[in-house]
Structures are given as C-alpha cells and as structure tokens.
Amino acid sequence: MKGKEWYQADEVAEEYDNKRFSEGGRLIDRREKAAVLSALGPVEGKQILEVACGTGRFTVMLADRGADIVGLDISPAMMAKGRQKAKDADVADHVEFMRGDAARLPFPDDHFDAVFAMRFFHLADTPVTFLRELRRVSKSQVFFDTFRRPSTRVLYNWLLPMGSRLYSNRDVESLLADAELRLENASYDFVLPYGFYRSLPGSIARPFRSIDTAIGATEIGDAIASVSYWDTRVE
C-alpha cells in the first residue's frame, strides 16, 4: 500500500483536516460528500462500511443521517480524531471505528447493505484484491472513486510525496469484471486536480471551480476529468 506509513503518522493525522479541507479544499470536501450521498441514497437504518475512513468526515456525516456505520482504517491517530467528531456530533452510538486491513476485512460475507471507499484506490498496489473484499462483505452496493488516466492528474502526480495509481475506464471495467461487480453508474469531475484547489484561498478557488464545473458538464469535460465515481452492484 503506497503511503501506508505516511497516513499512519501521528503528525499527519493531526494536520490532515486542516491541510486537506480548508480554504479551497472545502470545495472538494463538499463535492465528495455530495457524491457519496447521491450514490448511497437514504441511509437511515442501513448497515454501512467505510473503508479507509480517515478522520471520519464521511462516517460521521452518514451516522448523522441515521446509518449504523463502521469506519475501518489503518491509522489509530486518524480514527481517534474520527471518534472525537462522532462524539461532538452526538452520533457515537451509531459509529464504530476499527483498525483493520482492507485486503482481509474482518466481517462475514454479505454483512453490510453498502460498502464504500473514498480516496483509497489511488494508493492500492493490488486493487483487485481490495475490490473483491469490498464486494464480499456487501449485500448489494459498492461505491468508490479513482483518479483517472489520462487527465491533468498525471502532471500533478509528479509533485506528490508519494505516487498515486491512475486508472483508465478500461482498467476499472476490468477490475469490476474480476470482482464480479456490475456498474450501475459512473460520473466524472474535477478537470483541475484536487491539489490545485487546496493551494488557493476560497475566494479565488470558487471562480475556478465554476469554470471547472462548466467544462465538466460537456463531453470534453468528461474526457479529461481527473476523478471518477463508480457506483456498482453485487452480481
């Protein structure tokens, strides 16, 4: 797993939310949350697993909407922040944070109504292994995102402290076939890579995002988008 040690470092967990989701990064956070909510639909009373939950931004959001959710991650420090968020939001009774390996999920087959993973597959050295595990423990739905090839993400990758795996549509189609998942819906976003927005004040990032969204609404935008969202069903 690329970057495994980096994500587990205490200092990364301490700075993660401030670094990733402040200023222009809030635009990314809002879009990703909207993508998760759109894919999962009403979640009240559902049993949901989030793989690579980090500091719990999606976990707590879904618990607040009535889901019973397990957040799994490799970083104790990140999950500690997630537990505090759940406590502050008064949803701790609906959330369980667990340290675990996504390649060997500690759950029986068909255990959850839905399973999702955000910002995970760009770090996966053996993505089909992880996707098969997500499929194994889900009764119905598996939702995840990937960074695309080709896209502006290729250029941004050169500047990253760790490499990111990029996926063409054909790559993902092959993974879905190997994992016995059926594609329900795919959508694309962010012509400009995430890192561009995080480096900008919100007042400057917003006009760029408006242009990005306008381009993204066209066929050209879909072709050059840097992020894909994959909503799939268990065969």
Side-chain angles (χ1 to χ4, degrees):
M1 179 70 71
K2 298 175 183 177
K4 184 175 181 179
E5 294 79 10
W6 185 84
Y7 274 108
Q8 292 187 87
D10 288 351
E11 61 271 19
V12 172
E14 187 63 30
E15 299 174 3
Y16 187 80
D17 285 349
N18 289 337
K19 184 176 182 180
R20 299 280 178 161
F21 307 112
S22 61
E23 293 293 329
R26 293 176 186 172
L27 297 172
I28 303 166
D29 183 50
R30 285 197 295 270
R31 175 62 184 106
E32 289 181 324
K33 286 177 176 175
V36 169
L37 291 172
S38 176
L40 298 185
V43 296
E44 186 171 2
K46 288 186 177 180
Q47 301 285 328
I48 296 176
L49 171 66
E50 180 184 2
V51 171
C53 66
T55 61
R57 62 193 177 102
F58 301 112
T59 322
V60 173
M61 174 186 73
L62 294 174
D64 189 52
R65 285 163 171 77
D68 291 310
I69 184 164
V70 175
L72 183 134
D73 204 273
I74 60 171
S75 170
M78 289 237 188
M79 288 188 291
K81 289 181 70 66
R83 291 187 184 97
Q84 185 60 53
K85 287 182 182 179
K87 183 179 178 181
D88 292 344
D90 198 26
V91 296
D93 289 346
H94 293 276
V95 177
E96 181 180 3
F97 288 96
M98 295 180 60
R99 190 168 191 264
D101 183 352
R104 294 182 294 275
L105 293 173
F107 309 106
D109 296 355
D110 307 324
H111 189 66
F112 296 95
D113 296 307
V115 177
F116 75 100
M118 294 291 288
R119 300 285 195 95
F120 173 71
F121 278 92
H122 69 292
L123 298 175
D125 289 325
T126 55
V128 69
T129 300
F130 298 109
L131 195 56
R132 285 172 179 164
E133 274 294 273
L134 269 60
R135 181 240 181 264
R136 180 184 66 80
V137 301
S138 177
K139 296 175 186 176
S140 176
Q141 183 178 20
V142 175
F143 177 71
F144 63 100
D145 68 334
T146 58
F147 290 144
R148 294 187 75 197
R149 185 184 71 244
S151 72
T152 53
R153 181 77 192 189
V154 173
L155 300 175
Y156 181 65
N157 256 16
W158 293 348
L159 304 175
L160 288 176
M162 56 190 173
S164 289
R165 178 183 286 270
L166 306 181
Y167 298 81
S168 68
N169 285 7
R170 182 173 296 180
D171 292 334
V172 176
E173 289 167 2
S174 178
L175 287 174
L176 296 181
D178 286 343
E180 299 183 332
L181 286 166
R182 173 177 54 83
L183 181 62
E184 183 78 5
N185 184 55
S187 58
Y188 311 100
D189 206 345
F190 288 101
V191 172
L192 297 170
Y194 284 155
F196 173 81
Y197 289 101
R198 285 199 300 267
S199 64
L200 296 177
S203 59
I204 298 176
R206 283 189 290 274
F208 276 104
R209 178 58 178 155
S210 295
I211 296 170
D212 192 322
T213 302
I215 296 172
T218 68
E219 291 184 6
I220 293 176
D222 279 353
I224 62 175
S226 63
V227 176
S228 302
Y229 301 109
W230 306 99
D231 185 13
T232 73
R233 298 295 183 271
V234 174
E235 293 279 28

